[in-house]
Amino acid sequence: MIDSLPPLREVIAAHDLQPKKSLGQNFLLDLNLTAKIARQAGDLSGCDVLEIGPGPGGLTRGLLAEGARRVLAVEKDARCLPALEEVAAAYPDRLQVINADALDLDVLAHLTPPVRVVANLPYNVGTELLVRWLTPKEWPPYWDSLTLMFQKEVAQRIVAQPGGKAYGRLAILSQWRCDARIVMQLPPEAFTPPPKVHSAVVHLQRLETPRYEADAAVLSRVVAAAFNQRRKMLRSSLKGISKDIEAHLVAAGIKPTERAEQVPIEGFCALAREVAK
């Protein structure tokens, strides 16, 4: 055991916390695993940690046991609050729990830098949260790193290279501003209920400046359009972006007849600069 609190199965039973499919909940019960995930974020002793979707508090306990200065846990499901209050009592003044939807909450009001984000993200909001973290108006962002659990397929899309089916919007937005790598893989049976897919933990370390100059909003729009019709040539899939898209592609060093998955990140950034002119 990593602390004096009961095993998670007992916590879930005591508070009748059956995971809800509607909230994308799959609880990770092995506290040795949750501590291992926490360690993937590095030394937490001088950091505030943002955790989204803590559920009954397994990863929360791992983060606190691994020395996080303070954890802000944002939980939408009010059923989980009593269990999280027990964790807060065991780690005085180090855990703040907010009952809110992470998509609507201004977390900056509750965090003191340096900040690291560590979460077993609910499946139904994980991708949207990641894109928001990667595309703020100002860079560098408020966080130093993201250590996030996704379905394995999503994790592979984050670290994908050009030329393959996994390469797309998530790879470009992630690797444009971060170093991204898969640091752990977990089988379905590690969770309750077991999902139908394997999971993986991705660590994204922010870069102080993006690899290539581009406006985040324009790049996001260009990449979304390009990969929405990834089988088409770029001059066709991007024609709604600009009436001069073929000229923009040539100016960016991209063949208009190429498909999106063939274009590296620097090509899309160059295209975003052309479109923004």
Side-chain angles (χ1 to χ4, degrees):
M1 293 295 290
I2 62 173
D3 54 34
S4 59
L5 291 163
L8 276 174
R9 288 189 188 279
E10 292 180 17
V11 172
I12 289 170
H15 296 283
D16 194 23
L17 291 177
Q18 296 308 311
K20 282 188 176 180
K21 192 172 183 180
S22 63
L23 294 175
Q25 290 175 330
N26 296 87
F27 296 154
L28 189 57
L29 299 187
D30 186 335
L31 290 169
N32 291 317
L33 270 180
T34 63
K36 187 176 180 182
I37 293 167
R39 288 195 290 273
Q40 302 306 314
D43 181 5
L44 301 175
S45 60
C47 302
D48 277 13
V49 176
L50 170 63
E51 183 188 7
I52 307 297
L59 180 55
T60 316
R61 288 164 64 175
L63 292 166
L64 291 164
E66 289 298 317
R69 177 177 68 192
R70 191 170 151 276
V71 175
L72 173 66
V74 181
E75 178 53 65
K76 184 178 181 180
D77 186 358
R79 300 177 309 146
C80 296
L81 300 183
L84 292 168
E85 286 168 8
E86 292 173 3
V87 179
Y91 293 92
D93 303 319
R94 292 177 58 205
L95 173 62
Q96 179 183 1
V97 181
I98 297 181
N99 181 206
D101 186 330
L103 294 171
D104 301 329
L105 182 68
D106 176 17
V107 296
L108 264 178
H110 306 277
L111 293 164
T112 303
V115 175
R116 299 185 187 184
V117 182
V118 187
N120 171 16
L121 290 173
Y123 281 170
N124 52 359
V125 297
T127 301
E128 183 173 354
L129 282 168
L130 175 63
V131 170
R132 288 190 186 192
W133 285 324
L134 292 171
T135 55
K137 289 181 180 178
E138 301 292 329
W139 193 271
Y142 69 85
W143 49 267
D144 288 353
S145 66
L146 308 172
T147 305
L148 307 171
M149 190 185 304
F150 294 98
Q151 296 179 40
K152 185 178 177 181
E153 179 189 346
V154 176
Q156 289 171 330
R157 294 212 305 265
I158 292 168
V159 302
Q161 298 298 306
K165 290 182 179 179
Y167 181 69
R169 180 179 69 135
L170 287 185
I172 291 166
L173 295 181
S174 298
Q175 297 172 47
W176 172 46
R177 286 175 154 176
C178 299
D179 286 326
R181 58 194 177 93
I182 293 175
V183 292
M184 277 181 70
Q185 298 190 38
L186 295 95
E189 52 270 22
F191 300 86
T192 296
K196 295 179 180 177
V197 295
H198 282 65
S199 299
V201 177
V202 183
H203 182 76
L204 298 103
Q205 185 68 45
R206 79 173 193 201
L207 302 173
E208 285 306 303
T209 55
R211 285 192 161 85
Y212 311 100
E213 184 184 341
D215 178 271
V218 177
L219 180 62
S220 295
R221 190 159 55 92
V222 167
V223 171
F227 286 96
N228 192 41
Q229 303 181 68
R230 61 188 300 147
R231 294 190 178 186
K232 289 189 175 183
M233 290 182 287
L234 283 168
R235 67 183 178 198
S236 298
S237 59
L238 292 174
K239 62 185 178 183
I241 294 286
S242 167
K243 63 181 185 340
D244 300 319
I245 194 60
E246 193 148 347
H248 290 323
L249 285 163
V250 172
I254 300 170
K255 294 178 183 175
T257 53
E258 283 190 293
R259 293 194 305 275
E261 65 190 39
Q262 298 172 283
V263 179
I265 296 171
E266 57 263 41
F268 277 110
C269 290
L271 180 58
R273 294 195 297 272
E274 291 296 326
V275 169
K277 286 180 178 177

